[in-house]
Amino acid sequence: MAQAQGLGKRYLKAFFKGFFVAVPVTVTFLDRVACVARVEGASMQPSLNPGGRQVSDVVLLNHWSIRNYEVQRGDIVSLVSPRNPEQKIIKRVIALEGDIIKTIGYKNKYVRVPHGHIWVEGDHHGHSLDSNVFGPVSLGLLHARATHILWPPERWQKLQPMLPPERTPLHTNED
């Protein structure tokens, strides 16, 4: 009986030791390196959720790749909503700081993206709350870059940066 109690204590001690190491490591990984997220809504159709409400895409969000706020035109990014800080949204980067963009329904027809900001839009313009509604977005609101579709299995793929030809900036910093 005493032997069984000693074995139980050792087992519990080993479990808690592992638990108190694993939890902080996991939390740090999910916060700083990568996590997965389910994409809801139609704003990124047809790139994400092409089937509508039938099946939501699940994407890998890479936090590490944007740690220095390095994004490029065409990247799909997750960011804190400028309208509701409790909500994360997923959009495509259309323009970078210094670029001049022709807007779709924004209060100004043309906008020069200010320093420290980006212009983001959903791929499905009629169903997206994006920079055409709230304007340029601060780089500080960036959360992660979507790099892969993980679910459903038949849609598994790496997400490549792609800028729709009709949405290229009129003038870029590189010009």
Side-chain angles (χ1 to χ4, degrees), residues 112-133:
R112 178 183 294 273
V113 180
H115 178 72
H117 290 72
I118 55 176
W119 189 270
V120 296
E121 294 180 355
D123 289 353
H124 196 183
H125 297 296
H127 295 85
S128 180
L129 291 174
D130 53 29
S131 286
N132 288 299
V133 174

Side-chain angles (χ1 to χ4, degrees), residues 71-121:
V71 293
Q72 60 183 334
R73 290 173 203 89
D75 281 346
I76 296 176
V77 295
S78 166
L79 53 132
V80 175
S81 170
R83 285 258 172 114
N84 178 3
E86 301 291 317
Q87 182 183 29
K88 298 251 182 14
I89 58 176
I90 189 160
K91 304 293 174 198
R92 187 178 301 278
V93 176
I94 301 297
L96 305 173
E97 57 186 30
D99 292 353
I100 298 174
I101 188 81
K102 183 177 181 184
T103 67
I104 304 172
Y106 187 59
K107 61 184 175 184
N108 303 331
K109 188 171 184 170
Y110 299 96
V111 171
R112 178 183 294 273
V113 180
H115 178 72
H117 290 72
I118 55 176
W119 189 270
V120 296
E121 294 180 355

Side-chain angles (χ1 to χ4, degrees), residues 19-82:
F19 179 80
F20 288 117
V21 169
V23 169
V25 168
T26 302
V27 168
T28 301
F29 181 86
L30 293 174
D31 187 48
R32 299 287 178 198
V33 180
C35 65
V36 296
R38 187 169 55 113
V39 178
E40 297 175 355
S43 72
M44 285 302 294
Q45 287 178 347
S47 300
L48 300 174
N49 291 348
R53 297 180 188 267
Q54 297 156 353
V55 178
S56 293
D57 285 349
V58 174
V59 295
L60 177 66
L61 296 176
N62 185 335
H63 301 283
W64 190 256
S65 69
I66 59 131
R67 68 191 177 281
N68 296 323
Y69 305 109
E70 294 171 3
V71 293
Q72 60 183 334
R73 290 173 203 89
D75 281 346
I76 296 176
V77 295
S78 166
L79 53 132
V80 175
S81 170

